[in-house]
Every structure is written in structure tokens, then in C-alpha cells.
Amino acid sequence: MTDWWYNHKTGEVEEGPQSLGSERDGPYASREDAARAPEIAQERARAWAADDSDE
């Protein structure tokens, strides 16, 4: 099974970890999910912010 990574420095999707860990997000189960990594991060940040405001 291949893991997919999103390189936030280059904006490229990588098959397997190819770049430095500090430059990539993942692993993701599919190329499509890795390509959506910036959107996924924003969705998670909004959810966390909403949770924090509830406290």
C-alpha cells in the first residue's frame, strides 16, 4: 500500500515520503486526499477553533 504526502513547500503530491518531514504533510491514503491537504488542514483548524470557542 502506497502512502501519499503533500509537500507544502513545492505544492506537489509525493508518492511515499520523498522530502524532508518538515516540508510535507501526511501520510494520506490516496493521491486525491494528499492533493487536498491544504483544504483538509483549514477544515481541521476551523473545527479546532470552534471547539476552543465552546470552552
Side-chain angles (χ1 to χ4, degrees):
M1 181 176 202
T2 299
D3 287 331
W4 298 90
W5 303 80
Y6 178 80
N7 184 315
H8 51 84
K9 186 174 180 181
T10 65
E12 303 277 327
V13 172
E14 302 174 350
E15 185 175 0
Q18 298 175 18
S19 58
L20 295 174
S22 61
E23 296 177 352
R24 60 183 156 84
D25 296 325
Y28 293 92
S30 69
R31 174 180 278 282
E32 292 78 19
D33 285 346
R36 287 190 58 245
E39 295 171 45
I40 292 169
Q42 287 179 342
E43 291 166 4
R44 290 176 180 167
R46 281 193 294 270
W48 292 330
D51 286 347
D52 287 346
S53 67
D54 291 342
E55 292 178 3

